[in-house]
Amino acid sequence: MCIRDRVSTQSTWDIKMENLIPVINKVQEIFARVSLPVTIDLPLIAVVGAQSTGKSSVLESIVGRDFLPRGAGIVTRRPLILQLHHVNQGDEYAQFVHQGDKVFRNFDAVRAEIDADTDRIAGKNKGVSSEPIILKIFSPNVLDLTLVDLPGLTKVAIGDQQADIPQLIRDIVLNIVKNPNCIILAVSAGNMDLANSDSLKLAREVDPKGDRTIGVITCLLYTSDAADEGLGVDLGGRRIIKK
């Protein structure tokens, strides 16, 4: 096959994918509107990790905006389906499926709405729910992608949470990542032993060969201080150390 044929084939594939993504998004919205679980294995990218490993930072770096709730303990308590729509020009704005045609141009308001709708469905006692929030972001700075932010994996309940919340969260995450068309971004903090990474362990359960798993290391701190020697590896005169 000559270069011209390969380019033509790739262009045809890209066009097909561009046409498919809006259909996938619409199917997700229909299931959400009627409060039914998505029973079709739709292509998506899921961000998986333990609590406080930097999952939100990974998503926000992809979008280029700060818009996700932050805090201690469990913050993401419902799956957040993030539909990114590339537009050629104009201002960035967001819409929630549960808010109809309402447009959010202030991303602080987007964060507040995620908090409010999470409390509405999952309660204010740090409970969790498998019912997703669907957020659409329109921007000239994003690619057409569908991402899913999932509740952080945990081993113990805190405060007045249900005693079985670790298993509830695990079930929510597994229900998404078992989809054979799901790419798993397995987020692990750089200050932990990767052999003990909860996200990588869970990913291996559904993707033992690692064909659709991408490891992401967060919470890295760079320094050139000689006092930090031995705490990490050298990268061009700088060292990665535990944060």
Side-chain angles (χ1 to χ4, degrees):
M1 181 183 291
C2 69
I3 294 176
R4 180 180 299 175
D5 291 336
R6 288 200 297 268
V7 171
S8 177
T9 301
Q10 183 64 39
S11 298
T12 302
W13 173 255
D14 290 343
I15 292 172
K16 288 181 178 179
M17 288 305 297
E18 288 177 1
N19 292 334
L20 177 61
I21 289 173
V23 176
I24 293 170
N25 291 343
K26 183 58 66 176
V27 171
Q28 289 172 332
E29 292 174 24
I30 291 172
F31 275 96
R33 290 182 189 278
V34 296
S35 299
L36 289 175
V38 178
T39 55
I40 304 172
D41 291 333
L42 300 175
L44 49 84
I45 301 172
V47 184
V48 179
Q51 291 177 16
S52 303
T53 54
K55 292 191 296 87
S56 296
S57 297
V58 171
L59 275 173
E60 290 178 337
S61 67
I62 294 174
V63 178
R65 282 279 193 172
D66 293 337
F67 65 97
L68 293 173
R70 302 294 179 92
I74 181 170
V75 178
T76 304
R77 299 189 286 125
R78 296 171 58 189
L80 174 67
I81 298 177
L82 181 60
Q83 299 176 351
L84 302 183
H85 299 265
H86 176 79
V87 294
N88 291 326
Q89 58 186 359
D91 296 334
E92 295 176 302
Y93 66 95
Q95 290 180 307
F96 290 92
V97 167
H98 67 270
Q99 288 282 11
D101 295 328
K102 182 177 179 180
V103 172
F104 292 76
R105 299 189 185 278
N106 183 328
F107 280 78
D108 288 336
V110 170
R111 180 184 295 110
E113 179 59 28
I114 293 173
D115 275 333
D117 201 57
T118 296
D119 287 345
R120 182 177 66 85
I121 298 298
K124 297 184 178 182
N125 64 341
K126 297 297 183 179
V128 296
S129 171
S130 61
E131 183 176 334
I133 298 173
I134 298 182
L135 170 63
K136 299 184 283 186
I137 293 181
F138 300 81
S139 169
N141 304 316
V142 301
L143 299 173
D144 291 320
L145 288 174
T146 300
L147 304 158
V148 184
D149 187 19
L150 292 164
L153 300 168
T154 186
K155 292 182 172 62
V156 295
I158 60 172
D160 55 355
Q161 287 181 331
Q162 302 159 258
D164 62 345
I165 200 163
Q167 186 61 47
L168 292 175
I169 293 174
R170 177 180 167 82
D171 290 344
I172 291 172
V173 174
L174 280 173
N175 188 55
I176 298 292
V177 300
K178 70 181 182 182
N179 170 2
N181 295 319
C182 172
I183 294 175
I184 305 168
L185 294 187
V187 178
S188 305
N191 57 358
M192 69 173 295
D193 186 348
L194 291 181
N196 298 320
S197 169
D198 293 329
S199 60
L200 290 175
K201 287 180 180 178
L202 186 140
R204 288 191 195 101
E205 293 182 28
V206 295
D207 180 32
K209 294 183 178 180
D211 294 333
R212 54 187 180 89
T213 300
I214 300 173
V216 180
I217 301 178
T218 60
C219 303
L220 295 177
L221 177 66
Y222 292 95
T223 181
S224 58
D225 192 337
D228 296 317
E229 187 174 356
L231 295 179
V233 295
D234 185 58
L235 287 180
R238 297 190 299 175
R239 304 188 67 78
I240 300 178
I241 68 169
K242 296 180 179 180
K243 184 177 180 180

